[in-house]
Amino acid sequence: TTCASSMAGDDPFAASVPKDELRPNSKDEKVKMETEGATGEAGTGGEEGSTPEQDTVEAVLACVFSLFQAFANSDAETFKKCVDKGARFVRTGYTEDDKPDVTAYAPDYFIETLKKIKKGTLNEVIEDPFVQTRDNLIAHVWCRYRLYVSDQPKHSGVKSIQLRRSAQGWKVVDVLDTIDSS
């Protein structure tokens, strides 16, 4: 079993699950996890012998994958179900003259965008998700991502996704991402 720690200063990508064990955007994906101090590897969740922690990780990832599928399918309704009304989406990077560039978006920006674009225009693939949860109320997912627009690579980077558990299930409350320099 591959385990990872999230002690301060640890790089969650340094001890990655071997790539041949990962199937990005797959429900069968094996992910690194930390749940209230217990570390381990999550399988498909809900299996005989799975732990509540593994089931929580699977539920968190299901929400995250639904969010990415909403983009791929131009599905504003699914997007709204995955995202808390007060969520923020923050993109960070550098301008062409190497100055920091931070742009924040509200959910409404994406809802309107998804209503206008053709299904399949956007495709964001996540890799190496690292999931942390606490008290079955909050979760944090770190992952690498690659964004494709009309099947052409646009950019890649790292995403930090925070979620909260609500009566309706897990909801994304914040997404912060970087754009790798080319």
Side-chain angles (χ1 to χ4, degrees), residues 87-108:
R88 289 181 326 144
F89 293 79
V90 181
R91 187 206 56 192
T92 65
Y94 288 93
T95 62
E96 289 180 14
D97 56 351
D98 271 344
K99 292 184 179 168
D101 179 29
V102 179
T103 307
Y105 302 92
D108 287 343

PDB file of all heavy atoms in Angstrom, residues 87-108:
ATOM      1  N   ALA A  87     -18.604  30.235  -3.276  1.00  0.00           N
ATOM      2  CA  ALA A  87     -17.287  29.730  -3.675  1.00  0.00           C
ATOM      3  C   ALA A  87     -16.482  30.789  -4.431  1.00  0.00           C
ATOM      4  O   ALA A  87     -17.040  31.713  -5.026  1.00  0.00           O
ATOM      5  CB  ALA A  87     -17.441  28.480  -4.532  1.00  0.00           C
ATOM      6  N   ARG A  88     -15.178  30.598  -4.382  1.00  0.00           N
ATOM      7  CA  ARG A  88     -14.257  31.449  -5.138  1.00  0.00           C
ATOM      8  C   ARG A  88     -13.353  30.558  -5.977  1.00  0.00           C
ATOM      9  O   ARG A  88     -12.923  29.508  -5.526  1.00  0.00           O
ATOM     10  CB  ARG A  88     -13.368  32.287  -4.221  1.00  0.00           C
ATOM     11  CG  ARG A  88     -14.051  33.382  -3.490  1.00  0.00           C
ATOM     12  CD  ARG A  88     -13.090  34.175  -2.629  1.00  0.00           C
ATOM     13  NE  ARG A  88     -12.036  33.320  -2.078  1.00  0.00           N
ATOM     14  CZ  ARG A  88     -10.784  33.721  -1.904  1.00  0.00           C
ATOM     15  NH1 ARG A  88     -10.416  34.925  -2.217  1.00  0.00           N
ATOM     16  NH2 ARG A  88      -9.881  32.902  -1.390  1.00  0.00           N
ATOM     17  N   PHE A  89     -13.056  31.019  -7.165  1.00  0.00           N
ATOM     18  CA  PHE A  89     -12.108  30.353  -8.051  1.00  0.00           C
ATOM     19  C   PHE A  89     -11.009  31.363  -8.324  1.00  0.00           C
ATOM     20  O   PHE A  89     -11.280  32.437  -8.865  1.00  0.00           O
ATOM     21  CB  PHE A  89     -12.793  29.938  -9.357  1.00  0.00           C
ATOM     22  CG  PHE A  89     -13.829  28.873  -9.154  1.00  0.00           C
ATOM     23  CD1 PHE A  89     -15.090  29.189  -8.662  1.00  0.00           C
ATOM     24  CD2 PHE A  89     -13.542  27.552  -9.437  1.00  0.00           C
ATOM     25  CE1 PHE A  89     -16.050  28.212  -8.461  1.00  0.00           C
ATOM     26  CE2 PHE A  89     -14.495  26.566  -9.238  1.00  0.00           C
ATOM     27  CZ  PHE A  89     -15.749  26.895  -8.748  1.00  0.00           C
ATOM     28  N   VAL A  90      -9.793  31.040  -7.926  1.00  0.00           N
ATOM     29  CA  VAL A  90      -8.686  31.985  -8.032  1.00  0.00           C
ATOM     30  C   VAL A  90      -7.591  31.382  -8.901  1.00  0.00           C
ATOM     31  O   VAL A  90      -7.086  30.296  -8.608  1.00  0.00           O
ATOM     32  CB  VAL A  90      -8.123  32.348  -6.638  1.00  0.00           C
ATOM     33  CG1 VAL A  90      -6.985  33.351  -6.771  1.00  0.00           C
ATOM     34  CG2 VAL A  90      -9.224  32.889  -5.734  1.00  0.00           C
ATOM     35  N   ARG A  91      -7.261  32.086  -9.965  1.00  0.00           N
ATOM     36  CA  ARG A  91      -6.181  31.663 -10.854  1.00  0.00           C
ATOM     37  C   ARG A  91      -4.961  32.516 -10.562  1.00  0.00           C
ATOM     38  O   ARG A  91      -5.061  33.736 -10.458  1.00  0.00           O
ATOM     39  CB  ARG A  91      -6.609  31.841 -12.310  1.00  0.00           C
ATOM     40  CG  ARG A  91      -5.580  31.260 -13.286  1.00  0.00           C
ATOM     41  CD  ARG A  91      -5.639  31.933 -14.608  1.00  0.00           C
ATOM     42  NE  ARG A  91      -5.457  33.370 -14.348  1.00  0.00           N
ATOM     43  CZ  ARG A  91      -5.665  34.310 -15.227  1.00  0.00           C
ATOM     44  NH1 ARG A  91      -6.070  34.032 -16.412  1.00  0.00           N
ATOM     45  NH2 ARG A  91      -5.492  35.577 -14.921  1.00  0.00           N
ATOM     46  N   THR A  92      -3.827  31.873 -10.427  1.00  0.00           N
ATOM     47  CA  THR A  92      -2.584  32.598 -10.188  1.00  0.00           C
ATOM     48  C   THR A  92      -1.593  32.266 -11.299  1.00  0.00           C
ATOM     49  O   THR A  92      -1.610  31.171 -11.846  1.00  0.00           O
ATOM     50  CB  THR A  92      -1.951  32.236  -8.829  1.00  0.00           C
ATOM     51  OG1 THR A  92      -1.562  30.865  -8.848  1.00  0.00           O
ATOM     52  CG2 THR A  92      -2.920  32.490  -7.687  1.00  0.00           C
ATOM     53  N   GLY A  93      -0.764  33.203 -11.599  1.00  0.00           N
ATOM     54  CA  GLY A  93       0.261  32.998 -12.621  1.00  0.00           C
ATOM     55  C   GLY A  93       1.082  34.261 -12.763  1.00  0.00           C
ATOM     56  O   GLY A  93       1.115  35.101 -11.851  1.00  0.00           O
ATOM     57  N   TYR A  94       1.743  34.389 -13.888  1.00  0.00           N
ATOM     58  CA  TYR A  94       2.565  35.561 -14.157  1.00  0.00           C
ATOM     59  C   TYR A  94       2.182  36.144 -15.509  1.00  0.00           C
ATOM     60  O   TYR A  94       1.842  35.415 -16.436  1.00  0.00           O
ATOM     61  CB  TYR A  94       4.052  35.188 -14.159  1.00  0.00           C
ATOM     62  CG  TYR A  94       4.557  34.883 -12.770  1.00  0.00           C
ATOM     63  CD1 TYR A  94       4.570  33.576 -12.292  1.00  0.00           C
ATOM     64  CD2 TYR A  94       4.993  35.898 -11.936  1.00  0.00           C
ATOM     65  CE1 TYR A  94       5.010  33.295 -11.018  1.00  0.00           C
ATOM     66  CE2 TYR A  94       5.441  35.632 -10.651  1.00  0.00           C
ATOM     67  CZ  TYR A  94       5.443  34.329 -10.200  1.00  0.00           C
ATOM     68  OH  TYR A  94       5.872  34.050  -8.936  1.00  0.00           O
ATOM     69  N   THR A  95       2.264  37.451 -15.598  1.00  0.00           N
ATOM     70  CA  THR A  95       2.023  38.127 -16.863  1.00  0.00           C
ATOM     71  C   THR A  95       3.228  37.891 -17.774  1.00  0.00           C
ATOM     72  O   THR A  95       4.257  37.352 -17.337  1.00  0.00           O
ATOM     73  CB  THR A  95       1.813  39.637 -16.656  1.00  0.00           C
ATOM     74  OG1 THR A  95       3.014  40.181 -16.081  1.00  0.00           O
ATOM     75  CG2 THR A  95       0.629  39.918 -15.751  1.00  0.00           C
ATOM     76  N   GLU A  96       3.108  38.328 -19.021  1.00  0.00           N
ATOM     77  CA  GLU A  96       4.218  38.160 -19.965  1.00  0.00           C
ATOM     78  C   GLU A  96       5.477  38.886 -19.510  1.00  0.00           C
ATOM     79  O   GLU A  96       6.581  38.499 -19.867  1.00  0.00           O
ATOM     80  CB  GLU A  96       3.800  38.643 -21.353  1.00  0.00           C
ATOM     81  CG  GLU A  96       2.790  37.717 -21.994  1.00  0.00           C
ATOM     82  CD  GLU A  96       2.366  38.189 -23.362  1.00  0.00           C
ATOM     83  OE1 GLU A  96       3.027  39.078 -23.954  1.00  0.00           O
ATOM     84  OE2 GLU A  96       1.358  37.670 -23.859  1.00  0.00           O
ATOM     85  N   ASP A  97       5.316  39.939 -18.685  1.00  0.00           N
ATOM     86  CA  ASP A  97       6.494  40.646 -18.174  1.00  0.00           C
ATOM     87  C   ASP A  97       6.850  40.212 -16.744  1.00  0.00           C
ATOM     88  O   ASP A  97       7.446  40.965 -15.986  1.00  0.00           O
ATOM     89  CB  ASP A  97       6.314  42.161 -18.282  1.00  0.00           C
ATOM     90  CG  ASP A  97       5.071  42.668 -17.570  1.00  0.00           C
ATOM     91  OD1 ASP A  97       4.258  41.839 -17.139  1.00  0.00           O
ATOM     92  OD2 ASP A  97       4.938  43.895 -17.440  1.00  0.00           O
ATOM     93  N   ASP A  98       6.490  38.969 -16.380  1.00  0.00           N
ATOM     94  CA  ASP A  98       6.858  38.326 -15.112  1.00  0.00           C
ATOM     95  C   ASP A  98       6.316  38.993 -13.852  1.00  0.00           C
ATOM     96  O   ASP A  98       6.901  38.881 -12.787  1.00  0.00           O
ATOM     97  CB  ASP A  98       8.383  38.194 -14.993  1.00  0.00           C
ATOM     98  CG  ASP A  98       8.879  36.896 -15.586  1.00  0.00           C
ATOM     99  OD1 ASP A  98       8.057  35.984 -15.796  1.00  0.00           O
ATOM    100  OD2 ASP A  98      10.102  36.786 -15.819  1.00  0.00           O
ATOM    101  N   LYS A  99       5.194  39.655 -13.953  1.00  0.00           N
ATOM    102  CA  LYS A  99       4.551  40.215 -12.767  1.00  0.00           C
ATOM    103  C   LYS A  99       3.469  39.242 -12.304  1.00  0.00           C
ATOM    104  O   LYS A  99       2.796  38.614 -13.122  1.00  0.00           O
ATOM    105  CB  LYS A  99       3.940  41.577 -13.089  1.00  0.00           C
ATOM    106  CG  LYS A  99       4.989  42.619 -13.380  1.00  0.00           C
ATOM    107  CD  LYS A  99       4.379  43.969 -13.603  1.00  0.00           C
ATOM    108  CE  LYS A  99       5.516  44.946 -13.874  1.00  0.00           C
ATOM    109  NZ  LYS A  99       5.052  46.197 -14.377  1.00  0.00           N
ATOM    110  N   PRO A 100       3.300  39.107 -10.980  1.00  0.00           N
ATOM    111  CA  PRO A 100       2.252  38.200 -10.480  1.00  0.00           C
ATOM    112  C   PRO A 100       0.875  38.616 -10.998  1.00  0.00           C
ATOM    113  O   PRO A 100       0.556  39.797 -11.071  1.00  0.00           O
ATOM    114  CB  PRO A 100       2.323  38.366  -8.961  1.00  0.00           C
ATOM    115  CG  PRO A 100       3.682  38.901  -8.696  1.00  0.00           C
ATOM    116  CD  PRO A 100       4.043  39.732  -9.895  1.00  0.00           C
ATOM    117  N   ASP A 101       0.084  37.615 -11.363  1.00  0.00           N
ATOM    118  CA  ASP A 101      -1.265  37.849 -11.875  1.00  0.00           C
ATOM    119  C   ASP A 101      -2.217  36.958 -11.092  1.00  0.00           C
ATOM    120  O   ASP A 101      -2.093  35.730 -11.130  1.00  0.00           O
ATOM    121  CB  ASP A 101      -1.320  37.517 -13.368  1.00  0.00           C
ATOM    122  CG  ASP A 101      -2.703  37.721 -13.961  1.00  0.00           C
ATOM    123  OD1 ASP A 101      -3.450  38.583 -13.461  1.00  0.00           O
ATOM    124  OD2 ASP A 101      -3.033  37.022 -14.928  1.00  0.00           O
ATOM    125  N   VAL A 102      -3.118  37.560 -10.342  1.00  0.00           N
ATOM    126  CA  VAL A 102      -4.098  36.816  -9.555  1.00  0.00           C
ATOM    127  C   VAL A 102      -5.475  37.316  -9.962  1.00  0.00           C
ATOM    128  O   VAL A 102      -5.750  38.507  -9.898  1.00  0.00           O
ATOM    129  CB  VAL A 102      -3.878  37.023  -8.040  1.00  0.00           C
ATOM    130  CG1 VAL A 102      -4.924  36.270  -7.243  1.00  0.00           C
ATOM    131  CG2 VAL A 102      -2.470  36.589  -7.635  1.00  0.00           C
ATOM    132  N   THR A 103      -6.318  36.382 -10.403  1.00  0.00           N
ATOM    133  CA  THR A 103      -7.660  36.740 -10.834  1.00  0.00           C
ATOM    134  C   THR A 103      -8.654  35.844 -10.122  1.00  0.00           C
ATOM    135  O   THR A 103      -8.492  34.626 -10.118  1.00  0.00           O
ATOM    136  CB  THR A 103      -7.812  36.580 -12.358  1.00  0.00           C
ATOM    137  OG1 THR A 103      -6.769  37.311 -13.002  1.00  0.00           O
ATOM    138  CG2 THR A 103      -9.153  37.090 -12.831  1.00  0.00           C
ATOM    139  N   ALA A 104      -9.673  36.448  -9.502  1.00  0.00           N
ATOM    140  CA  ALA A 104     -10.701  35.678  -8.795  1.00  0.00           C
ATOM    141  C   ALA A 104     -12.002  35.721  -9.579  1.00  0.00           C
ATOM    142  O   ALA A 104     -12.346  36.741 -10.187  1.00  0.00           O
ATOM    143  CB  ALA A 104     -10.912  36.252  -7.397  1.00  0.00           C
ATOM    144  N   TYR A 105     -12.703  34.576  -9.566  1.00  0.00           N
ATOM    145  CA  TYR A 105     -13.976  34.454 -10.265  1.00  0.00           C
ATOM    146  C   TYR A 105     -15.026  33.915  -9.307  1.00  0.00           C
ATOM    147  O   TYR A 105     -14.747  33.033  -8.502  1.00  0.00           O
ATOM    148  CB  TYR A 105     -13.864  33.472 -11.437  1.00  0.00           C
ATOM    149  CG  TYR A 105     -12.822  33.839 -12.454  1.00  0.00           C
ATOM    150  CD1 TYR A 105     -11.522  33.339 -12.352  1.00  0.00           C
ATOM    151  CD2 TYR A 105     -13.128  34.671 -13.518  1.00  0.00           C
ATOM    152  CE1 TYR A 105     -10.560  33.665 -13.293  1.00  0.00           C
ATOM    153  CE2 TYR A 105     -12.174  34.999 -14.465  1.00  0.00           C
ATOM    154  CZ  TYR A 105     -10.885  34.490 -14.344  1.00  0.00           C
ATOM    155  OH  TYR A 105      -9.937  34.819 -15.276  1.00  0.00           O
ATOM    156  N   ALA A 106     -16.233  34.398  -9.431  1.00  0.00           N
ATOM    157  CA  ALA A 106     -17.370  33.863  -8.681  1.00  0.00           C
ATOM    158  C   ALA A 106     -17.990  32.726  -9.493  1.00  0.00           C
ATOM    159  O   ALA A 106     -17.786  32.643 -10.710  1.00  0.00           O
ATOM    160  CB  ALA A 106     -18.404  34.967  -8.449  1.00  0.00           C
ATOM    161  N   PRO A 107     -18.762  31.859  -8.861  1.00  0.00           N
ATOM    162  CA  PRO A 107     -19.404  30.764  -9.599  1.00  0.00           C
ATOM    163  C   PRO A 107     -20.242  31.242 -10.788  1.00  0.00           C
ATOM    164  O   PRO A 107     -20.282  30.567 -11.819  1.00  0.00           O
ATOM    165  CB  PRO A 107     -20.285  30.090  -8.546  1.00  0.00           C
ATOM    166  CG  PRO A 107     -19.611  30.385  -7.253  1.00  0.00           C
ATOM    167  CD  PRO A 107     -19.019  31.763  -7.422  1.00  0.00           C
ATOM    168  N   ASP A 108     -20.895  32.389 -10.660  1.00  0.00           N
ATOM    169  CA  ASP A 108     -21.746  32.885 -11.747  1.00  0.00           C
ATOM    170  C   ASP A 108     -20.987  33.067 -13.061  1.00  0.00           C
ATOM    171  O   ASP A 108     -21.542  32.870 -14.138  1.00  0.00           O
ATOM    172  CB  ASP A 108     -22.422  34.198 -11.357  1.00  0.00           C
ATOM    173  CG  ASP A 108     -23.539  33.993 -10.345  1.00  0.00           C
ATOM    174  OD1 ASP A 108     -23.994  32.839 -10.192  1.00  0.00           O
ATOM    175  OD2 ASP A 108     -23.946  34.978  -9.715  1.00  0.00           O
TER     176      ASP A 108
END
